[in-house]
């Protein structure tokens, strides 16, 4: 077998990132080095090849040469396969370890309180929870399974509906029973402070405005009231008597059972998005991952049944 002629891996990595971003600065941010270091690595690779990969344009940054375009496309595929092979090698020694990616509010309000049940049923299974508001990138991150909030269109992934989401009003019991500020029906919200979650980046998310419109309620000023970046912060504010929050059956946690929050009226509205369990098709039937997915779906089924019983009570 002939000796491989391979340029330095650091130079390849810097060039591939710069080619994707068409920017040495953005490439540096991605691989945690300076833009100048990226430029030096690219120059080193060009010297090794004896041909230019970029055209430097002072006013427009950098542009790939025809060779650079072809080389970058091939290199991206090679690095993706190397990343996948490395991830597989790392997993081979920890077949009982599952890394699950989730949004912070879902992890805190639903997933983590139930992990004790998982340990009872699967004592050998080790779960690592990673919280992030971004979608998990299975090709580039060490993530086995993710909880996604959307409409279920995830090509190439094994996708199971975990839970449907319904929105309802919640508040501290201290806000009830005041005749001058009643809380008997949704229209009475005009007498109270509305607490909001900041969700401007999520189209069609169920805000107070959409929730009231779905119920045909008018005359409530939905522009007022404090805003919070996460659901659990909004619920905490409601529990401390600061106003009325929109809660969901998924993220309410134990606030209702513990009496820290009450539901002043029964009306609820189905959300535009639902929760899904997703993972790559290639690993979906791996024993540890299949066990975790099965446990997760059963927990969601039990949760939905309990919520339905409470709604009828």
């Amino acid at each position: 077998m002939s000796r491989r002629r391979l340029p330095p891996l650091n130079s390849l990595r810097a060039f591939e990132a710069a080619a994707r971003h068409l920017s040495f600065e953005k490439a540096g941010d991605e691989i945690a080095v300076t833009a100048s270091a990226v430029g030096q690595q690219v120059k080193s690779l060009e010297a090794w090849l004896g041909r230019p990969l970029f055209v430097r344009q002072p006013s427009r940054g950098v542009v790939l040469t025809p060779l650079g375009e072809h080389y970058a496309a091939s290199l991206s595929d090679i690095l993706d396969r190397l990343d996948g092979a490395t991830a597989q090698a790392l997993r081979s020694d920890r077949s009982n370890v599952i890394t699950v990616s989730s949004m912070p509010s879902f992890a805190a309000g639903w997933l983590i309180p139930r992990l004790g049940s998982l340990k009872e049923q699967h004592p050998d299974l080790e779960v690592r929870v990673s919280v992030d508001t971004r979608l998990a990138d299975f090709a580039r991150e060490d993530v086995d399974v993710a909880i996604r909030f959307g409409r279920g269109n995830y090509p190439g992934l094994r996708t199971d509906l975990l839970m449907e989401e319904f929105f309802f009003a919640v508040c501290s019991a201290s806000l009830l029973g005041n005749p001058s500020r009643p809380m008997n029906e949704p229209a009475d919200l005009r007498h109270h402070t509305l607490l909001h979650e900041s969700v401007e980046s999520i189209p069609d998310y169920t805000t107070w405005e959409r929730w009231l419109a779905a119920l045909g309620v008018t005359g409530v000023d939905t522009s007022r009231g404090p805003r919070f970046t996460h659901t659990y912060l909004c619920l905490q504010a409601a529990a401390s008597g600061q106003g009325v929050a929109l809660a969901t059956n998924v993220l309410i946690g134990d606030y209702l059972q513990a009496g820290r929050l009450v539901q002043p009226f029964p009306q609820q509205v189905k959300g535009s998005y639902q929760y899904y369990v997703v993972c790559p098709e290639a690993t979906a039937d791996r024993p540890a991952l299949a066990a975790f997915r099965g446990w997760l779906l059963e927990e969601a089924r039990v949760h939905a049944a309990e919520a339905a019983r409470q709604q009828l009570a």
Side-chain angles (χ1 to χ4, degrees):
M1 181 177 179
S2 61
R3 182 181 176 185
R4 291 188 176 95
R5 299 181 62 224
L6 300 175
L9 181 58
N10 283 343
S11 295
L12 293 176
R13 188 178 176 214
F15 164 67
E16 191 274 338
R20 272 190 288 108
H21 294 292
L22 289 179
S23 165
F24 288 176
E25 183 176 352
K26 291 181 179 178
D29 290 341
E30 179 179 317
I31 63 177
V33 298
T34 65
S36 176
V38 172
Q40 290 300 319
Q41 291 287 359
V42 171
K43 283 182 180 179
S44 174
L45 180 60
E46 290 176 319
W48 193 92
L49 293 170
R51 299 176 66 183
L53 298 170
F54 286 105
V55 176
R56 277 77 168 174
Q57 299 178 331
S59 61
R60 295 174 54 196
V62 293
V63 178
L64 286 164
T65 65
L67 171 64
E69 289 185 9
H70 178 76
Y71 196 40
S74 300
L75 193 57
S76 291
D77 179 62
I78 291 168
L79 291 179
D80 283 343
R81 285 189 282 121
L82 176 61
D83 178 73
T86 303
Q88 187 62 39
L90 290 171
R91 289 184 181 122
S92 63
D93 290 333
R94 52 185 185 88
S95 59
N96 67 323
V97 177
I98 297 294
T99 300
V100 54
S101 175
S102 165
M103 295 169 295
S105 291
F106 182 87
W110 197 91
L111 179 60
I112 291 175
R114 289 171 167 77
L115 289 180
S117 165
L118 176 66
K119 197 66 177 176
E120 291 178 359
Q121 297 180 36
H122 302 282
D124 296 330
L125 198 59
E126 182 179 337
V127 173
R128 299 175 180 176
V129 179
S130 172
V131 296
D132 205 326
T133 55
R134 299 175 300 109
L135 292 180
D137 184 345
F138 292 102
R140 297 181 178 276
E141 300 176 39
D142 186 17
V143 172
D144 298 293
V145 60
I147 311 300
R148 286 190 175 171
F149 180 63
R151 292 192 168 99
N153 182 27
Y154 306 115
L157 298 178
R158 179 77 63 86
T159 302
D160 295 293
L161 175 64
L162 184 64
M163 281 180 288
E164 295 183 323
E165 186 168 52
F166 296 88
F167 289 76
F168 47 88
V170 293
C171 64
S172 167
S174 64
L175 297 185
L176 304 181
N178 184 342
S180 64
R181 302 182 68 197
M183 186 90 77
N184 301 316
E185 59 182 4
D188 290 334
L189 289 170
R190 67 183 182 272
H191 302 295
H192 296 270
T193 299
L194 300 182
L195 306 175
H196 306 264
E197 185 179 356
S198 299
V199 289
E200 289 79 4
S201 62
I202 306 177
D204 302 325
Y205 191 80
T206 304
T207 59
W208 273 118
E209 183 179 10
R210 290 191 176 97
W211 190 83
L212 291 164
L215 297 177
V217 176
T218 59
V220 178
D221 183 2
T222 58
S223 66
R224 58 188 171 85
R227 297 179 182 274
F228 303 88
T229 56
H230 292 292
T231 300
Y232 57 84
L233 298 176
C234 201
L235 295 179
Q236 183 60 43
S240 62
Q242 297 178 35
V244 187
L246 266 183
T248 83
N249 57 308
V250 179
L251 303 180
I252 189 63
D254 65 350
Y255 278 91
L256 294 177
Q257 292 92 325
R260 288 179 288 169
L261 288 173
V262 296
Q263 191 174 344
F265 16 80
Q267 288 88 341
Q268 58 180 11
V269 172
K270 184 177 179 180
S272 301
Y273 304 95
Q274 316 306 327
Y275 289 83
Y276 295 87
V277 186
V278 299
C279 63
E281 282 284 1
T283 58
D285 295 320
R286 177 180 143 211
L289 186 50
F292 177 77
R293 288 173 51 248
W295 167 82
L296 198 62
L297 293 169
E298 176 60 18
E299 284 291 314
R301 187 196 66 78
V302 171
H303 174 79
E306 290 176 351
R309 283 196 297 271
Q310 290 175 4
Q311 193 68 26
L312 293 173

